[in-house]
């Protein structure tokens, strides 16, 4: 299958950018045909509807949710594209619908999505609420899991730009995890099934983003939804959408989310050798926080009346302004950091640093500065 061509055809172009709120989701849901049954499954803390989409008639039951964290919208976009494909009436879509029954929550945290925050309106991280179940959004998902009794769960998230693929120097564009079900991080049949599903996705994605796929940390935390569902015997897959070069809007990464979902449900169910697939999975490099957004090397600074050559790094902070996410660069680290890379790297060639406050970059300060008092940088980038 030509996955890129299929995505181009069924991508929902009316929904783009990092800010995806309930209004945008509803604009898509209102256009769905009878293939997808849409219901309000419950309500958020602030009374916003939480929509459930059901489609398919197959024996294998799949539960998927996205935007559990309100500021993690990339997987929502890829999931919307996938739903759009499933309602297409094509032979490929009908084949998937004949084999699977899907229950999908495209936006589990509409309150957080509205204001672009990780937490819900009670400032609770929903992904740390699956022991006590204190929040209506958490209870809704758990109640659905218990009633639907899915064979597989797919837990969709975004991850920050700080993550790289091991020590390879490449960004972690897509990361996966078959969560642990106990402190010992053992593998039972349920977890192995999740591993098999992940390797189907990885096999397809390697053609598009070779070397940019990592494995998320599998430390057990019973408060997390994935670990909780895995411990209940449901094969659970974590998908983390990360950074692709020069793609801060995550429009390229959404394509890889779509390809991951389409490939895992369209691929054949051939027999697999468990030892082999587990070995392949464990050989995926782990996610490591070893990236900054921008790194400046060989910068001359004046510190304690002495000239020094150093490096410094910036990290973008995301802020919602007029329904658009803007990226503001702040100084995150100063000094030597050989094990870190920058998504953008700039060799200052010993040019002298200066800003309106000092001749030395200060941690947590906004990145507006000059080199040699000539080349001006605004928000970390060269001013034209």
């Amino acid at each position: 299958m030509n996955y890129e061509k299929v995505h181009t055809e069924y991508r929902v172009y009316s929904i783009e950018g990092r800010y995806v709120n309930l209004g945008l989701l509803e604009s898509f849901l209102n256009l769905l045909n009878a293939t997808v049954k849409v219901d309000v499954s419950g309500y958020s803390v602030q009374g916003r509807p939480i929509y459930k989409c059901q489609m398919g008639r197959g024996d294998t039951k799949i539960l998927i949710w996205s935007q559990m964290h309100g500021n993690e919208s990339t997987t929502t976009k890829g999931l919307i594209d996938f739903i759009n494909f499933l309602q297409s009436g094509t032979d490929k879509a009908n084949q998937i619908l004949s084999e699977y029954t899907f229950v999908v929550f495209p936006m589990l945290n509409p309150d957080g999505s509205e204001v672009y925050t990780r937490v819900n309106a009670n400032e609770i991280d929903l992904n740390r609420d699956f022991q006590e179940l204190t929040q209506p959004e958490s209870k809704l998902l758990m109640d659905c899991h218990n009633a639907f009794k899915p064979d597989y769960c797919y837990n969709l998230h975004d991850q920050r730009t700080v993550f790289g693929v091991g020590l390879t120097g490449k960004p972690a564009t897509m990361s996966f995890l078959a969560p642990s079900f106990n402190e010992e991080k053992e593998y039972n049949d349920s977890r192995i099934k999740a591993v098999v599903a992940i390797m189907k996705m990885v096999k397809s994605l390697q053609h598009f983003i070779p070397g940019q796929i990592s494995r998320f940390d599998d430390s057990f935390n019973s408060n997390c939804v994935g670990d909780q569902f895995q411990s209940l015997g449901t094969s659970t897959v974590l998908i983390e959408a990360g950074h692709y070069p020069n793609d801060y809007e995550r429009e390229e990464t959404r394509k890889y989310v779509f390809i991951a979902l389409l490939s895992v449900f369209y691929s054949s169910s051939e027999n697999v050798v468990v030892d082999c697939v587990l070995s392949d999975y464990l050989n995926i490099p782990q996610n490591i926080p070893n990236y900054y957004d921008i790194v400046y090397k060989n910068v001359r600074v004046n510190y304690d009346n002495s000239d020094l050559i150093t490096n410094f790094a910036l990290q973008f902070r995301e802020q919602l302004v007029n329904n658009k996410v803007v990226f503001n660069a702040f100084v995150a680290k100063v000094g030597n950091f050989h094990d870190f890379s920058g998504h953008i790297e700039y060799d200052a060639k010993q040019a002298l640093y200066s800003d309106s406050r000092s001749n030395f970059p200060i941690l947590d300060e906004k990145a507006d500065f000059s080199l040699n008092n000539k080349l001006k940088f605004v928000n970390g980038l060269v001013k034209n």
Side-chain angles (χ1 to χ4, degrees), residues 335-348:
N336 294 317
F337 36 97
H338 302 295
D339 293 334
F340 286 81
S341 300
H343 295 297
I344 300 172
E345 296 192 353
Y346 187 92
D347 186 352

Side-chain angles (χ1 to χ4, degrees), residues 302-358:
N302 188 273
Y303 187 72
D304 283 345
N305 295 318
S306 299
D307 278 359
L308 303 172
I309 303 301
T310 190
N311 312 302
F312 69 98
L314 309 180
Q315 201 68 39
F316 286 126
R317 298 178 187 174
E318 301 167 21
Q319 182 182 5
L320 185 64
V321 178
N322 296 326
N323 291 337
K324 184 175 176 60
V325 176
V326 297
F327 300 87
N328 294 313
F330 289 82
V331 178
K333 187 176 178 67
V334 180
N336 294 317
F337 36 97
H338 302 295
D339 293 334
F340 286 81
S341 300
H343 295 297
I344 300 172
E345 296 192 353
Y346 187 92
D347 186 352
K349 299 179 180 178
Q350 301 189 10
L352 179 65
Y353 174 97
S354 63
D355 61 37
S356 62
R357 301 168 300 278
S358 68

Side-chain angles (χ1 to χ4, degrees), residues 44-48 68 70 108-115 117-126 135-137:
S44 67
V45 171
Q46 294 180 336
R48 290 185 174 88
M68 167 178 275
L108 190 66
N109 181 6
D111 295 346
S113 303
E114 190 66 28
V115 293
T117 61
R118 177 180 176 88
V119 295
N120 75 345
N122 286 333
E123 298 188 356
I124 299 296
D125 184 338
L126 297 178
Q135 303 303 301
E137 301 93 343

Side-chain angles (χ1 to χ4, degrees), residues 4-24:
E4 285 188 304
K5 181 180 179 181
V6 175
H7 182 251
T8 298
E9 186 173 355
Y10 294 103
R11 174 177 164 172
V12 180
Y13 289 91
S14 61
I15 298 178
E16 292 188 335
R18 294 294 285 271
Y19 181 55
V20 179
N21 66 358
L22 185 63
L24 285 173

Side-chain angles (χ1 to χ4, degrees), residues 37-57:
K37 180 183 178 184
V38 180
D39 293 312
V40 175
S41 189
Y43 294 88
S44 67
V45 171
Q46 294 180 336
R48 290 185 174 88
I50 299 174
Y51 289 98
K52 177 179 73 176
C53 301
Q54 185 162 340
M55 63 214 87
R57 56 194 179 278

